[in-house]
Amino acid sequence: MPFGDESDQPGNARRRWVIGSAWPYIYAVPHLGNLIGSVLSADVFVRYLRLKGDDVVFVSGSDEHGTPIEVEALQLGIRPRELTDRMHEIIKKLFEFWEIGFDNYTRTESPVHKEFVREFFMKLYNNNYIFTKEDEVPYCPKDKIYLPDRFIIGTCPYCGYDKARGDQCENCGRLLEPKLLINPRCAICGSKPIWVRTAHWYLDLTRLEDRVKKYVEENTALPENAKQMSLGMLKEGLKPRAITRDNKWGIEAPFPGADNKTIYVWFEAVLGYISATIEYFRNRGNEDEWKRYWFDPNTRVVFFVGKDNIPFHVILLPAMLIASSDPYVMPYTTASTEYLLFEGKKFSKSQRIGIWIDEALALMPVDYWRFVLIYQRPESKDTSFAWHQTLDVINSILNDIIGNFIHRVLTFISTRFNGEIPSGSLRDIDIKYRDEALDHFKNSEGYYEKIELRDALLEAIEIARVGNRYLNERQPWELIKGNKDEAGAVILNALHIVKILSIDLWPIMPKSMESLWTMAGFSKLNWKDAYEPPKSGIRVSNVRPLFKKISHEEFKEMMKKLDDIRNTKDKNKYPWQQVYLPGQ
């Protein structure tokens, strides 16, 4: 089946998915750009699929190996495992506060993951896709450690960016090797590294190139940025890439003679989507079930990543799956965003540029953040988070358009119909507005299917605009003076539009929409429920505004609170002490 082909899915079939969001490296708490690039976008898509009744397993975990963690722990005078134990639990808790509904949020220190990685790479070794080669590797004589690729900084030979790292240039996205860098230096102390000869184990990507190229070329579901970056790399040709490192903090390489070597974090972390699925079903007492998700060609595997992660998900992981000779389903697509900037600049913790996901919890309700971030999702180009735009989106769109429409309908039922949803026969004009709302709902569905989440949200906003126009034209507050039955039909139809809107928004704002469902007397809804009008006779209760505006004074207080939180965090030594958690 060509990738992106819908022909294998009958209209009412229950589709099966594995959804994975890029594993956050728990050296630090993610910022808003990290969140929208992977975890939040994945959660919204998963919630949409579940509304549709699809079978979904949603996995991710903490990426905790490698030299950055090792060096940080050394500087703090603790073991790497103590650092990652504490940070894993904190980040897991933060995602819960953000309403991220993982089936399994695990970690690369999981025994299941380590066991799977070692077995997987031995398969590649036994299939003759891994070979040994002696090479020169960078070593810092001042810090007395071997330097992994990311701890070499220099000038990119392709684009001239002077802060490129030895594994990848974050400016142009090209995969690199330390020796390709111009004027390389140690990222820890700035010294010039020396090169020491040592043996490493390599994945022979050259032998896999044709099959990876076929996968990329035939995959019509890949977003344009993922496809073009990958085809550009393939055009230059894939070269063997070292999959072992000399650092101690990682998964021990399983190959004969590979004593004191560990698996390079990029190669083992991407296998976490599979090991997390295995662990999920093992914990449920049905371990073999994971094969139904990863070995069945009807399963759709989707990854959510930022554009810097494209090569590892679109080229390296598919290459490894092919090399295993096991019947893994190839990834259906990799939903890759561009970068989210902050007020036009890159996020920088040291310069206090940006908002981190722990800090955000202290400033606004999570559903406000989820709405704003999906509204600003960088789907086809870099976008910039700006406070003035954020406040305008909350005040003018979330509150005035969406919240106002919902509140108008529910309060009218509460005050004019004694809280009981009325009945009534619709006229042609009422049906016209309902159908217009449903047209936007169908458009939104199409965008959700293509993982164009921002456009899906824009269509939902149009549903609220339709609802407000409908009320303004039909004026049930005037109709009720002379024709209560007609007013009842109008407000019942308006409540149907509210229902349509709430289903469309639930993936983005689950907590707020569930509050609305409770107020309106709806039970938990699914996607098809949008086509069914509300039942008359049910009572609305505890009607209150879902959202409120943020005034200029409140915004100033938010910024003061942010400064206070950061000043407190900066006084603490350990990373886990530098995290804000609600209630502390």
Side-chain angles (χ1 to χ4, degrees):
M1 178 193 76
F3 292 94
D5 187 356
E6 304 291 330
S7 61
D8 67 319
Q9 298 292 345
N12 296 318
R14 187 170 187 247
R15 299 173 296 184
R16 187 188 309 116
W17 304 78
V18 175
I19 306 297
S21 63
W23 291 43
Y25 194 59
I26 54 168
Y27 177 76
V29 169
H31 56 63
L32 295 184
N34 302 138
L35 188 77
I36 188 59
S38 57
V39 174
L40 178 57
S41 293
D43 182 74
V44 170
F45 186 59
V46 166
R47 289 178 181 275
Y48 161 74
L49 296 176
R50 288 182 170 150
L51 278 180
K52 296 276 288 187
D54 286 354
D55 177 9
V56 186
V57 173
F58 179 24
V59 296
S60 187
S62 296
D63 181 0
E64 54 189 313
H65 292 140
T67 300
I69 295 288
E70 198 171 10
V71 171
E72 176 80 0
L74 183 67
Q75 292 172 341
L76 292 170
I78 59 175
R79 294 177 297 106
R81 179 65 190 249
E82 181 181 354
L83 173 60
T84 61
D85 279 350
R86 289 179 178 270
M87 291 303 292
H88 169 72
E89 290 302 322
I90 283 173
I91 289 175
K92 184 177 180 181
K93 190 70 178 175
L94 287 173
F95 287 150
E96 290 171 4
F97 282 124
W98 276 85
E99 299 290 322
I100 307 298
F102 289 117
D103 290 304
N104 188 22
Y105 183 80
T106 184
R107 55 192 299 189
T108 53
E109 267 293 279
S110 156
V112 177
H113 177 70
K114 292 195 284 189
E115 174 192 15
F116 176 76
V117 166
R118 289 170 57 82
E119 289 178 356
F120 185 92
F121 277 109
M122 277 308 295
K123 282 185 181 178
L124 270 57
Y125 180 84
N126 291 330
N127 290 344
N128 297 316
Y129 283 105
I130 291 176
F131 64 88
T132 312
K133 184 177 78 167
E134 196 173 78
D135 199 2
E136 289 187 329
V137 297
Y139 179 84
C140 179
K142 183 176 179 181
D143 295 312
K144 294 183 172 54
I145 61 170
Y146 288 98
L147 293 171
D149 297 352
R150 287 193 65 77
F151 270 68
I152 303 285
I153 294 177
T155 300
C156 174
Y158 298 104
C159 71
Y161 180 62
D162 64 356
K163 294 183 179 62
R165 295 187 180 269
D167 60 345
Q168 186 180 25
C169 175
E170 66 176 23
N171 185 57
C172 69
R174 302 286 270 279
L175 291 180
L176 298 173
E177 294 178 4
K179 277 199 168 183
L180 293 176
L181 292 175
I182 301 165
N183 298 322
R185 58 193 183 277
C186 170
I188 302 170
C189 68
S191 301
K192 185 175 181 179
I194 61 174
W195 297 86
V196 179
R197 294 198 70 81
T198 185
H200 275 297
W201 280 253
Y202 282 72
L203 176 63
D204 194 353
L205 289 169
T206 305
R207 289 177 54 207
L208 296 160
E209 181 180 321
D210 289 344
R211 283 168 286 177
V212 172
K213 185 177 182 182
K214 185 174 187 291
Y215 159 71
V216 174
E217 287 178 339
E218 292 183 356
N219 191 328
T220 59
L222 275 177
E224 195 64 17
N225 63 350
K227 191 152 201 169
Q228 292 310 315
M229 180 185 289
S230 302
L231 288 175
M233 292 173 57
L234 287 160
K235 187 175 181 181
E236 292 174 7
L238 299 183
K239 299 175 183 176
R241 195 164 178 86
I243 58 173
T244 55
R245 291 294 184 270
D246 288 297
N247 59 314
K248 298 175 183 176
W249 176 238
I251 298 176
E252 295 178 2
F255 317 119
D259 300 336
N260 301 317
K261 305 285 183 183
T262 56
I263 299 293
Y264 180 28
V265 289
W266 273 114
F267 281 93
E268 54 114 331
V270 290
L271 293 176
Y273 303 114
I274 307 171
S275 66
T277 310
I278 295 171
E279 184 179 72
Y280 171 68
F281 285 110
R282 181 179 293 183
N283 290 341
R284 291 161 62 96
N286 190 13
E287 180 175 339
D288 284 346
E289 185 74 359
W290 77 270
K291 295 176 183 176
R292 199 164 68 88
Y293 288 78
W294 278 98
F295 288 173
D296 186 334
N298 290 319
T299 301
R300 291 181 174 183
V301 174
V302 178
F303 306 126
F304 283 78
V305 304
K307 65 181 176 183
D308 53 326
N309 275 337
I310 289 171
F312 303 99
H313 290 77
V314 182
I315 291 181
L316 293 183
L317 179 56
M320 293 194 300
L321 297 180
I322 293 167
S324 75
S325 297
D326 285 333
Y328 286 102
V329 59
M330 295 295 282
Y332 175 70
T333 190
T334 296
S336 44
T337 59
E338 298 292 313
Y339 290 138
L340 180 73
L341 306 175
F342 186 86
E343 302 282 3
K345 300 175 182 177
K346 289 186 177 181
F347 284 74
S348 169
K349 191 171 184 179
S350 62
Q351 299 178 49
R352 292 192 174 185
I353 297 172
I355 304 289
W356 274 252
I357 68 169
D358 60 327
E359 301 166 344
L361 295 169
L363 305 182
M364 296 192 300
V366 162
D367 271 359
Y368 287 34
W369 284 112
R370 289 175 63 111
F371 186 91
V372 165
L373 289 171
I374 295 299
Y375 188 87
Q376 298 179 358
R377 186 173 186 256
E379 297 190 348
S380 58
K381 62 180 181 180
D382 292 353
T383 60
S384 184
F385 177 96
W387 271 116
H388 72 276
Q389 182 189 15
T390 294
L391 296 179
D392 187 56
V393 168
I394 290 168
N395 293 342
S396 301
I397 297 176
L398 184 57
N399 185 78
D400 289 357
I401 296 174
I402 295 173
N404 182 50
F405 168 58
I406 293 168
H407 198 60
R408 290 171 78 185
V409 175
L410 293 183
T411 53
F412 196 87
I413 296 170
S414 180
T415 59
R416 308 305 288 273
F417 286 93
N418 195 31
E420 186 174 300
I421 297 173
S423 59
S425 299
L426 301 185
R427 299 190 177 190
D428 287 347
I429 188 171
D430 304 316
I431 294 170
K432 179 178 84 73
Y433 275 101
R434 181 204 64 196
D435 288 350
E436 186 179 349
L438 284 171
D439 284 343
H440 287 296
F441 182 74
K442 292 170 187 172
N443 291 342
S444 187
E445 180 180 11
Y447 287 124
Y448 272 123
E449 287 290 326
K450 293 185 287 185
I451 319 181
E452 294 173 0
L453 306 180
R454 182 176 187 272
D455 286 334
L457 174 56
L458 294 180
E459 290 291 338
I461 294 168
E462 289 305 311
I463 294 171
R465 287 196 170 101
V466 168
N468 279 312
R469 281 194 285 110
Y470 175 56
L471 290 179
N472 292 342
E473 178 166 347
R474 293 291 273 140
Q475 298 186 14
W477 54 89
E478 293 296 333
L479 285 173
I480 200 169
K481 296 174 183 177
N483 190 336
K484 190 172 183 179
D485 288 344
E486 187 175 354
V490 169
I491 210 67
L492 175 65
N493 195 45
L495 185 61
H496 188 185
I497 297 174
V498 168
K499 184 180 179 184
I500 296 166
L501 172 65
S502 73
I503 293 169
D504 209 354
L505 285 176
W506 182 81
I508 297 166
M509 312 179 73
K511 188 174 285 188
S512 297
M513 293 305 103
E514 286 167 14
S515 294
L516 166 58
W517 294 350
T518 299
M519 283 191 283
F522 301 149
S523 57
K524 182 166 176 57
L525 302 175
N526 61 46
W527 195 260
K528 289 181 180 178
D529 288 335
Y531 296 92
E532 294 295 325
K535 291 182 173 63
S536 58
I538 293 174
R539 298 193 65 81
V540 302
S541 59
N542 300 317
V543 174
R544 63 195 182 281
L546 284 172
F547 315 111
K548 70 181 191 68
K549 291 188 176 185
I550 297 174
S551 68
H552 181 65
E553 287 303 314
E554 287 172 320
F555 174 67
K556 286 167 61 176
E557 283 299 313
M558 284 165 50
M559 294 301 98
K560 181 179 182 303
K561 187 171 187 178
L562 180 60
D563 279 340
D564 290 344
I565 289 170
R566 288 178 172 176
N567 290 336
T568 300
K569 289 163 76 171
D570 289 347
K571 294 175 184 176
N572 295 319
K573 174 182 178 181
Y574 296 105
W576 58 86
Q577 297 173 330
Q578 298 168 358
V579 180
Y580 171 84
L581 289 172
Q584 68 178 18

